[in-house]
Amino acid sequence: MESLIFAAVIGLTVYLFMRRMKIMKAKKRRQAEQAASGESPEDTGSMPRLGNPGTITREQIKLLKENDFEPSRLWSAEEAKLILDSVTYQRAVIYMTTGEADPPIDVQNQLMKLILGTDEIRDYVYEWGLNRTRDEDSAPQPVLERNEVFARIEAEVLALWETS
């Protein structure tokens, strides 16, 4: 009996060690990719936390995965909603600017960094998402108001479109 418990403890220890090594390798690989692309590790374009951590819903997790995100259970429902609204907003700007319904992922990533990393744009998109009606939410491409925020994102779209 004691040898069974001892074997289980050793097995668990080996499993945790291997898992930790896998995580560390993935982190080093991401850092190497950032260094190769010239992006500094500090330049992550992070956004402040919103809501209560851990309140993300299963539906939000599903929608985030459909949009090529790796959601965390530690995210709040508000953070997930902001990210989903940001994706919708940026894709609408891209569509209205270029006519492209399926934009390149690198362009979308740069726009997400701009939207979520800039306070006034992030706040505007957050409010825009809260004020959308069900009809607007179900529309394939929302029609956006052409204002200062739209103009800033549109300028970035055009700049990114030329380089990609």
Side-chain angles (χ1 to χ4, degrees), residues 81-98:
K81 180 167 178 20
L82 175 59
I83 291 169
L84 290 167
D85 289 340
S86 297
V87 169
T88 303
Y89 191 87
Q90 69 151 341
R91 287 181 181 167
V93 171
I94 292 170
Y95 183 76
M96 290 174 70
T97 304
T98 66

Side-chain angles (χ1 to χ4, degrees), residues 1 10 16 35-37 60 77 95 111 156 164:
M1 184 66 175
I10 289 175
L16 292 174
S37 69
Q60 287 174 323
Y95 183 76
L111 291 175
E156 186 70 19
S164 66

Side-chain angles (χ1 to χ4, degrees), residues 17-155:
F17 177 75
M18 296 300 286
R19 182 172 169 232
R20 177 76 176 144
M21 293 303 291
K22 185 177 179 182
I23 291 170
M24 288 175 58
K25 279 184 182 180
K27 184 177 178 182
K28 282 184 181 182
R29 190 176 334 112
R30 279 194 306 272
Q31 288 174 344
E33 288 172 1
Q34 285 177 341
S37 69
E39 183 179 322
S40 64
E42 307 87 42
D43 189 21
T44 58
S46 64
M47 68 177 203
R49 297 298 307 254
L50 301 172
N52 294 324
T55 57
I56 188 170
T57 66
R58 286 191 172 116
E59 180 67 23
Q60 287 174 323
I61 289 173
K62 183 179 137 218
L63 290 170
L64 286 163
K65 286 183 178 180
E66 288 172 3
N67 285 291
D68 299 322
F69 283 91
E70 281 300 320
S72 169
R73 289 259 176 216
L74 300 176
W75 289 0
S76 70
E78 293 83 1
E79 290 167 332
K81 180 167 178 20
L82 175 59
I83 291 169
L84 290 167
D85 289 340
S86 297
V87 169
T88 303
Y89 191 87
Q90 69 151 341
R91 287 181 181 167
V93 171
I94 292 170
Y95 183 76
M96 290 174 70
T97 304
T98 66
E100 181 68 40
D102 189 24
I105 196 75
D106 57 330
V107 171
Q108 292 185 63
N109 287 341
Q110 290 299 318
L111 291 175
M112 287 298 287
K113 192 174 187 179
L114 172 71
I115 292 170
L116 298 176
T118 309
D119 291 339
E120 57 270 2
I121 296 175
R122 182 181 54 248
D123 294 342
Y124 177 82
V125 171
Y126 183 72
E127 290 297 321
W128 173 81
L130 290 176
N131 294 323
R132 290 175 63 197
T133 64
R134 285 190 180 140
D135 291 338
E136 290 173 332
D137 202 22
S138 63
Q141 286 293 340
V143 178
L144 304 176
E145 176 186 345
R146 291 185 176 267
N147 56 17
E148 182 183 320
V149 171
F150 183 92
R152 285 179 67 184
I153 296 173
E154 182 180 39

